[in-house]
Amino acid sequence: TIVQGINIKSGKAGEKAIHIDAEATTGGVSVTAGTAGVDLTTYGKADILSQLSASVTSTTGAVTMTAATGLVMKSTGGEGTTIQSTTGKIAMSASGGSLLTMGGNLGHTMSTSTGNIGIQATGPAGTI
């Protein structure tokens, strides 16, 4: 039950049960919400597709991505994929008997302008 606001409901089936069309050359869709935020829930797939760049930004909090069967970040061109922290550390870990793997055919570089780079291997294999 909605006490205040606008409720849009469709009884139609299919992927376009509700369709918002703003396809004019300079058209667009803007959603602004107050402190209660925006909650998107689907029982099917969710796609975000942009022919230009796309970004997810939080100005005061964290951005969390969680996936039940894997998380893939992939770049198919340009400068590749960059993971950068300007104020803290970058922590990567693999658990459950999994491997943390870096692969590629151009070699790997780890650098720091201040401090050290530490690589530690523990367990039966224990080799670097």
Side-chain angles (χ1 to χ4, degrees):
T1 302
I2 295 187
V3 178
Q4 296 176 341
I6 298 172
N7 183 18
I8 300 173
K9 183 176 182 179
S10 171
K12 291 188 170 191
E15 63 184 32
K16 291 190 177 180
I18 296 175
H19 179 79
I20 299 171
D21 186 340
E23 289 190 57
T25 303
T26 58
V29 176
S30 176
V31 177
T32 303
T35 57
V38 175
D39 183 10
L40 302 172
T41 302
T42 180
Y43 296 101
K45 68 177 185 168
D47 290 323
I48 297 174
L49 172 65
S50 175
Q51 292 183 1
L52 299 176
S53 63
S55 64
V56 176
T57 304
S58 174
T59 58
T60 59
V63 174
T64 302
M65 295 185 292
T66 304
T69 59
L71 180 63
V72 177
M73 294 189 310
K74 180 178 183 180
S75 175
T76 59
E79 296 294 317
T81 302
T82 300
I83 300 173
Q84 179 180 6
S85 175
T86 58
T87 60
K89 65 181 181 177
I90 296 174
M92 294 188 296
S93 64
S95 60
S98 300
L99 298 173
L100 182 60
T101 304
M102 293 172 51
N105 59 3
L106 297 177
H108 304 288
T109 301
M110 290 187 274
S111 64
T112 180
S113 58
T114 59
N116 300 317
I117 295 176
I119 300 174
Q120 180 180 6
T122 60
T127 60
I128 295 178

